[in-house]
Amino acid sequence: KNQYMCQLEGFDQQWVDCGTRRFKSYTNVPPGKYTFRMKGSNSDGVWNERGTTLAVVIRPPFWRTWWFQLVWIGGLIGLIGLSSRVIEYYRVYQKTRYIGHFKVIRKLGSGGMGTVYKAWDKLARRVVAVKILNEDLEDSREGVKRFLQEAEIGSVLNHPNIVRIHEVGKRDKIRYISMEYIEGKTLKEHIREQGTLHPEEVLRIAEKILDGLREIHRNGIVHRDLKPGNVIIDGNGQIKIMDFGLARLNILTPMHSQIQMAGTLAYMTP
């Protein structure tokens, strides 16, 4: 039978006996350019020393190429960044999912002082609006003071045309105010939807607002941010004043003290 020998120049140090096979399997050959040589003998044992040569180029597997390494590193960095964002969002979700004994239902809105959520009060078994102090104000003495003052002012008011405050507290470094939840829309939204209001409706709304303001002023409080966005109308047409974040108790502010201007510019007196 014919016999064969082969050599992969640059890898094999000498000729390798292949027996009667006209091929040779290699493993762990480094990437590079090689010359594969094979020679054979006839049944008489005479070898063809000239043999056959074949140029071979072995390329690295794709996971060892520079471009794959670059893509892998970029993907790993992106995955780390995405993971940190997911963890951050999860923490925010957990933080706002339950606030003490309040189970958050959905977000209602946010402002400079805090974010308001519709929530279920598990103790009182009722739907409420929960206002949470913004994180950037939690370490601000002035921000915490204004937040607590809003709760204090709201707690002394009890009138059909004023949103009632139920509870104020702190849980897991989260300061919150629980208040009456009104299913409706603000006067600003109502005007945007209806356009110019009928004079009789204007008088009715103004009368209810003035009734609420009369109670507010009777308790020595100045709202300082009365505007259509802070007046809410429920499904029965009841008018209520809300958001005492900029309100001030006159009895807490001596006449000779320096008073800072506060309010929404478009609705402030000249």
Side-chain angles (χ1 to χ4, degrees):
K1 293 184 178 180
N2 295 338
Q3 299 292 314
Y4 299 94
M5 299 184 71
C6 64
Q7 182 183 33
L8 185 63
E9 292 184 354
F11 184 77
D12 293 326
Q13 299 299 321
Q14 58 188 0
W15 286 92
V16 178
D17 185 6
C18 298
T20 59
R21 296 175 302 173
R22 288 183 287 181
F23 64 90
K24 177 70 172 67
S25 298
Y26 287 90
T27 58
N28 301 322
V29 179
K33 295 182 179 180
Y34 300 90
T35 299
F36 182 75
R37 301 177 61 195
M38 177 169 280
K39 63 182 180 178
S41 67
N42 57 23
S43 58
D44 296 328
V46 179
W47 289 89
N48 178 9
E49 296 295 339
R50 184 177 180 181
T52 303
T53 60
L54 178 67
V56 178
V57 177
I58 299 178
R59 301 188 183 277
F62 72 91
W63 60 86
R64 290 185 180 178
T65 57
W66 66 268
W67 60 265
F68 181 82
Q69 297 289 336
L70 185 63
V71 171
W72 185 84
I73 293 173
L76 182 61
I77 295 174
L79 182 61
I80 294 173
L82 179 62
S83 298
S84 63
R85 294 297 297 273
V86 169
I87 293 173
E88 179 184 350
Y89 287 142
Y90 178 75
R91 287 176 177 173
V92 172
Y93 172 80
Q94 287 294 96
K95 186 175 182 180
T96 56
R97 184 64 176 173
Y98 286 94
I99 307 166
H101 54 275
F102 301 100
K103 181 180 180 181
V104 174
I105 299 174
R106 64 182 176 90
K107 181 179 177 180
L108 296 176
S110 58
M113 282 291 293
T115 303
V116 182
Y117 297 91
K118 179 181 179 181
W120 172 255
D121 187 336
K122 294 189 292 183
L123 296 182
R125 302 191 63 79
R126 63 187 171 190
V127 177
V128 297
V130 178
K131 185 174 184 178
I132 299 176
L133 180 65
N134 285 339
E135 286 189 6
D136 57 345
L137 296 177
E138 289 178 355
D139 297 326
S140 168
R141 181 176 299 179
E142 182 63 26
V144 173
K145 179 181 177 181
R146 285 176 55 189
F147 190 76
L148 295 178
Q149 182 170 298
E150 177 182 358
E152 178 186 0
I153 290 173
S155 63
V156 302
L157 298 173
N158 186 11
H159 190 273
N161 298 117
I162 300 174
V163 172
R164 295 193 305 274
I165 299 293
H166 297 313
E167 179 185 344
V168 59
K170 182 180 180 181
R171 182 66 179 269
D172 298 331
K173 298 183 179 181
I174 303 176
R175 296 185 183 272
Y176 65 85
I177 299 174
S178 169
M179 64 190 78
E180 177 184 8
Y181 172 73
I182 308 297
E183 187 70 53
K185 53 190 173 184
T186 64
L187 178 57
K188 179 180 180 179
E189 294 170 336
H190 181 65
I191 294 173
R192 185 185 296 117
E193 292 176 2
Q194 301 297 324
T196 303
L197 303 181
H198 192 277
E200 291 184 0
E201 184 180 11
V202 173
L203 289 174
R204 182 184 67 82
I205 294 174
E207 181 182 1
K208 298 300 181 181
I209 293 175
L210 291 174
D211 285 345
L213 284 175
R214 186 179 297 111
E215 178 66 15
I216 293 172
H217 295 164
R218 189 181 68 81
N219 285 274
I221 300 169
V222 180
H223 190 283
R224 297 206 297 178
D225 197 23
L226 186 64
K227 58 185 179 182
N230 285 337
V231 176
I232 192 165
I233 308 173
D234 67 13
N236 297 321
Q238 180 72 359
I239 310 296
K240 290 180 180 286
I241 299 172
M242 60 180 182
D243 197 345
F244 289 84
L246 297 179
R248 188 185 75 239
L249 279 167
N250 282 340
I251 58 175
L252 299 180
T253 308
M255 294 300 292
H256 62 271
S257 65
Q258 183 179 2
I259 301 176
Q260 295 181 342
M261 298 295 292
T264 303
L265 183 62
Y267 298 95
M268 295 175 66
T269 55

